[in-house]
Amino acid sequence: MANGQGGPEIERLIGLLAKLPGLGPRSARRAALDLIKKRDRLMRPLAQALMDAANHITECENCGNLDACSPCNICAAPGRDQALICVVQDVSDLWAMERAAAFRGTYHVLGGTLSAIEGIRPEDLNIARLITRASRDGVSEIILAMNATVDGQTTAHYITDQLSGTGVSVSRLAHGVPVGGELDYLDDGTISAAMKSRRPF
Amino acid sequence: MANGQGGPEIERLIGLLAKLPGLGPRSARRAALDLIKKRDRLMRPLAQALMDAANHITECENCGNLDACSPCNICAAPGRDQALICVVQDVSDLWAMERAAAFRGTYHVLGGTLSAIEGIRPEDLNIARLITRASRDGVSEIILAMNATVDGQTTAHYITDQLSGTGVSVSRLAHGVPVGGELDYLDDGTISAAMKSRRPF
Ligand SMILES: [Zn+2]
Ligand SMILES: [Zn+2]
């Protein structure tokens, strides 16, 4: 009862919930109470889903995606164009691309970006496997979809260099005004990038 | 892959996480990825803590608190003054009182408030058991610690009426300026309550 939260079982649950990104101590307490109230329709199913995911989710040996099988369902899908590889920093970016449903090729998940400050080097990322894939799979185009940050773009340049001998063409996502975005709220770099890439109307 | 989130295991996990109060779909996706990255130090322990809590947490038959035993650890603690009962709306309020460490009596958790709009009647709350406790346990004082809302105060009045024959004294928490609170940000009701209850300096 050190923190006055109903014994060690509840305290332990709250302590673990509070470690989730987006949940602080206060919302962890609310979540714990809500889970106890919804014991059979939320708490037990969540425990089971966590255990299932912990036991079955693995990193795809081909692309680095997370799935219950390797190669993952995207790499193994007959309808996906194996000649196109979209390179993303993280699995969350792959998910965002899939939600947008704007790409029917395959992916390669780097697991981060190069970073001088954080000491992240090429060998710390899933880059060597990308070069191997690019060299042998009948790949025609690599689309770099890293974040438009300094580290993201440093990583994009590094990968472009590494791919220079393969004959594969390398592209990147266009910069520009987000759909629905207001100019007034955009930074100068985005506006000038959008201006440079302007297209006939 | 309907939502592009790595197969049914991950989709199911994200769907359940998104039902937690404080986590929307976006933060549920972040939480799922974070859990997979911290499989052994967060994901499995959380699954186990949820299952333990689901199997062991119960409502105290005496006071309505949640704990792994009934009577709960507060009701059973020899150091707590059984003559004092602090009545709270929810377990979260009991936790808040315990964190403040300002009370060494016992509690009674109502499980909500009376509400004409939501159709919550006295028999829907843990009130009858409170009257029984007040009548027989050598109780000297009942402290009403409901929220300072219309429903909270309606409930406080109802309980006061029910206790009128028992000879137990009934009190309530003082209204006033929160510690560290600035007058400028307080509503008029709080300021006038603080003025009425002013004390010699
Ligand atoms: Zn894959
Ligand atoms: Zn109790």
Side-chain angles (χ1 to χ4, degrees), chain B residues 60 62-63 65 71-72 75:
Chain B
C60 173
N62 188 47
C63 76
N65 186 21
C72 71
C75 284

Short mmCIF file of all heavy atoms in Angstrom, two decimals, chain B residues 60 62-63 65 71-72 75, ligand 2:
data_model
loop_
_atom_site.label_atom_id
_atom_site.label_comp_id
_atom_site.label_asym_id
_atom_site.label_seq_id
_atom_site.Cartn_x
_atom_site.Cartn_y
_atom_site.Cartn_z
N CYS B 60 -13.95 -5.66 -2.01
CA CYS B 60 -14.03 -5.92 -0.56
C CYS B 60 -15.51 -5.98 -0.15
O CYS B 60 -16.27 -5.06 -0.42
CB CYS B 60 -13.31 -4.82 0.21
SG CYS B 60 -13.53 -4.93 2.00
N ASN B 62 -16.71 -5.64 2.65
CA ASN B 62 -17.02 -4.66 3.69
C ASN B 62 -17.16 -3.25 3.14
O ASN B 62 -18.14 -2.57 3.37
CB ASN B 62 -15.92 -4.70 4.77
CG ASN B 62 -16.27 -3.86 5.97
OD1 ASN B 62 -17.39 -3.95 6.50
ND2 ASN B 62 -15.34 -3.04 6.42
N CYS B 63 -16.16 -2.82 2.35
CA CYS B 63 -16.11 -1.39 1.98
C CYS B 63 -16.22 -1.13 0.48
O CYS B 63 -16.34 0.02 0.07
CB CYS B 63 -14.82 -0.77 2.51
SG CYS B 63 -13.34 -1.19 1.58
N ASN B 65 -13.80 -1.52 -1.71
CA ASN B 65 -12.47 -1.31 -2.29
C ASN B 65 -12.07 -2.52 -3.14
O ASN B 65 -12.62 -3.60 -2.99
CB ASN B 65 -11.46 -1.12 -1.14
CG ASN B 65 -10.07 -0.75 -1.62
OD1 ASN B 65 -9.90 -0.26 -2.73
ND2 ASN B 65 -9.08 -0.99 -0.77
N PRO B 71 -12.03 -9.27 3.61
CA PRO B 71 -11.89 -7.81 3.64
C PRO B 71 -10.55 -7.36 3.08
O PRO B 71 -9.56 -8.09 3.17
CB PRO B 71 -12.00 -7.48 5.12
CG PRO B 71 -12.57 -8.67 5.79
CD PRO B 71 -12.26 -9.84 4.95
N CYS B 72 -10.56 -6.14 2.54
CA CYS B 72 -9.35 -5.63 1.91
C CYS B 72 -8.28 -5.30 2.94
O CYS B 72 -8.53 -5.32 4.14
CB CYS B 72 -9.68 -4.39 1.08
SG CYS B 72 -10.10 -2.93 2.07
N CYS B 75 -9.38 -2.45 5.34
CA CYS B 75 -10.34 -2.87 6.36
C CYS B 75 -9.67 -3.75 7.41
O CYS B 75 -10.03 -3.73 8.58
CB CYS B 75 -11.51 -3.62 5.72
SG CYS B 75 -12.68 -2.53 4.89
ZN ZN C 2 -12.38 -3.01 2.60
#
